[in-house]
Amino acid sequence: MRILSGIQPSGALHIGNYFGMMRPAIELQAKGEAFYFIADYHSMTSLFDAAERRKNTLDVALDFLACGLDPKRAVFFKQSDVPEVCELSWLLSTLTPMGLLQRAHSFKDKADKGIPVNHALFAYPVLMAADILIYDSNIVPVGQDQKQHVEMTRDIASKFNEQYGQTFVIPEPQIREAVAKVPGIDGEKMSKSYGNTIEIFGDEKALRKKIMAIKMDSRQPADPKPDADQNLAIQLLKVINAGTGQEFEEKLRAGGLGYGDLKKKLFEVYWEYFATARAKRAELAANPDYVNKVLGEGAMKARAKAMEVLKRARKASGLE
Ligand code: ADP
Ligand code: TRP
């Protein structure tokens, strides 16, 4: 079984990325052949600073390795080290209806907000389909917002198989419902592009301040709060530690727990959760050669598989 996922180097990774995608992906590395990559081609649709892309790419690599990605078990690489995906993307685009892409949230949301959209952003789901199909992937662990892209991949792969004969494996998205849409500090979906994130790795003081600044209502600590499950700090606490989240939800519901103390607890649980990863990250950051070696070896393995599947698609479609 091949498990595959990718993440864009478009900014500091946050706990939504971690619980929604990275942790499930890391857990799955023991259950099959895992391929995880840094989607640097995809980041080009919205990030136009070369130095920033280079820095973000190294940061994502450090974050993933620090959080437990094991290069002995998983193949870890940079998307652009396998340029074959661009060719496959072209082949797939010839069977992708315009209407399908016009319905993509990733493109529609930006266009609706008046953000200028480029062709690559429009074609984004086709490149993502190529990423998935070129490794014969069976399972794609992602957060809720990527579900539509995986469904499009299934559509495109089926069209190709119908047109040119059985070529691609049809993948399944794997979404953990409980953490499919982790809320940000404003209650909206946590996202790098909304400025509402709690980063996995960041400055202690700044993160404490961010968490303590989460807005609450004006009820007094002693007031019972029957809607405790709707409280944002409780929801976040539950994402990080279900047991503690439950315990504090009951305390809040009963009355007697102040919002300040609740947020303090949230910060402590969050900070403690990533303590080991934080130490590991500092170690790795001092050794960028090791990180580059891991990505280089990963690219070689990924590329071998990609060349095999691309050849199959070229033959099926009459290019060879
Ligand atoms: P962002 O919205 O911060 O730019 P990405 O689109 O780069 O995040 O997403 C990377 C991965 O993390 C994807 O699999 C995505 O589904 C997952 N993810 C992002 N935000 C969340 C969230 N708030 N809750 C759960 N998963 C998320
Ligand atoms: N679009 C994904 C995101 O923004 C990143 C990505 C690119 C991806 N290619 C992929 C995820 C293939 C899973 C599989 O998060």
Side-chain angles (χ1 to χ4, degrees):
M1 182 179 69
R2 159 91 14 83
I3 306 139
L4 172 126
S5 197
I7 193 159
Q8 290 191 56
S10 51
L13 299 187
H14 52 76
I15 65 170
N17 297 139
Y18 178 77
F19 289 101
M21 183 278 214
M22 297 165 76
R23 190 171 74 166
I26 288 164
E27 283 171 12
L28 281 168
Q29 70 189 359
K31 302 225 165 77
E33 273 185 290
F35 274 39
Y36 299 138
F37 66 92
I38 305 172
D40 52 353
Y41 279 146
H42 274 111
S43 74
M44 295 185 79
T45 59
S46 47
L47 175 68
F48 298 94
D49 184 316
E52 207 176 323
R53 185 169 1 268
R54 229 169 261 124
K55 178 184 181 299
N56 287 350
T57 301
L58 177 63
D59 280 344
V60 170
L62 290 171
D63 289 358
F64 237 121
L65 290 167
C67 286
L69 186 145
D70 178 357
K72 289 199 197 74
R73 286 193 163 149
V75 174
F76 187 38
F77 60 102
K78 236 168 57 173
Q79 182 185 30
S80 66
D81 281 341
V82 187
E84 285 75 11
V85 289
C86 292
E87 184 178 344
L88 184 60
S89 179
W90 176 256
L91 268 58
L92 298 175
S93 73
T94 62
L95 293 175
T96 307
M98 290 287 283
L100 186 79
L101 297 181
Q102 270 152 354
R103 285 193 295 277
H105 300 308
S106 50
F107 162 73
K108 252 178 37 187
D109 292 354
K110 293 213 165 84
D112 289 351
K113 281 192 194 126
I115 298 171
V117 288
N118 52 51
H119 172 248
L121 190 69
F122 188 65
Y124 183 114
V126 187
L127 180 59
M128 180 153 163
D131 288 330
I132 297 172
L133 300 176
I134 208 163
Y135 303 110
D136 281 341
S137 312
N138 304 102
I139 306 272
V140 186
V142 281
Q144 183 67 38
D145 57 351
Q146 296 299 318
K147 188 174 178 204
Q148 190 194 35
H149 289 146
V150 184
E151 278 163 1
M152 289 178 161
T153 303
R154 291 166 58 89
D155 279 2
I156 297 170
S158 302
K159 275 212 163 64
F160 195 100
N161 287 349
E162 273 163 32
Q163 189 63 41
Y164 294 121
Q166 181 59 38
T167 306
F168 295 121
V169 172
I170 308 290
E172 295 277 346
Q174 192 178 86
I175 295 165
R176 300 259 177 102
E177 287 310 325
V179 286
K181 196 173 162 189
V182 176
I185 52 171
D186 58 357
E188 298 297 315
K189 175 194 128 71
M190 187 177 291
S191 172
K192 283 168 236 150
S193 42
Y194 300 161
N196 63 356
T197 59
I198 299 174
E199 292 81 22
I200 305 174
F201 303 105
D203 174 65
E204 180 171 5
K205 230 169 125 184
L207 279 156
R208 181 184 281 117
K209 203 168 149 197
K210 244 189 196 187
I211 288 178
M212 294 311 290
I214 294 177
K215 281 209 179 64
M216 300 274 140
D217 58 54
S218 57
R219 284 177 288 179
Q220 294 302 305
D223 295 341
K225 302 186 179 63
D227 55 352
D229 57 327
Q230 303 298 315
N231 181 283
L232 182 56
I234 293 291
Q235 287 172 355
L236 287 167
L237 206 47
K238 277 184 175 167
V239 166
I240 304 169
N241 184 321
T244 310
Q246 199 61 41
E247 182 192 332
F248 275 72
E249 181 184 329
E250 277 151 31
K251 283 188 183 169
L252 192 66
R253 182 171 292 119
L257 172 66
Y259 288 140
D261 287 341
L262 171 61
K263 289 190 275 188
K264 234 160 109 188
K265 183 73 189 174
L266 172 61
F267 174 77
E268 279 164 15
V269 168
Y270 149 73
W271 196 253
E272 177 57 31
Y273 185 93
F274 291 105
T276 313
R278 203 171 292 123
K280 177 122 186 261
R281 195 184 191 285
E283 238 173 69
L284 288 163
N287 197 356
D289 288 350
Y290 167 76
V291 178
N292 288 327
K293 183 169 151 271
V294 165
L295 292 176
E297 288 173 2
M300 275 176 34
K301 290 186 195 152
R303 203 161 181 202
K305 178 69 193 171
M307 287 166 109
E308 172 199 320
V309 178
L310 178 62
K311 191 154 188 71
R312 202 195 296 149
R314 285 176 58 99
K315 280 189 174 157
S317 57
L319 292 173
E320 288 183 24

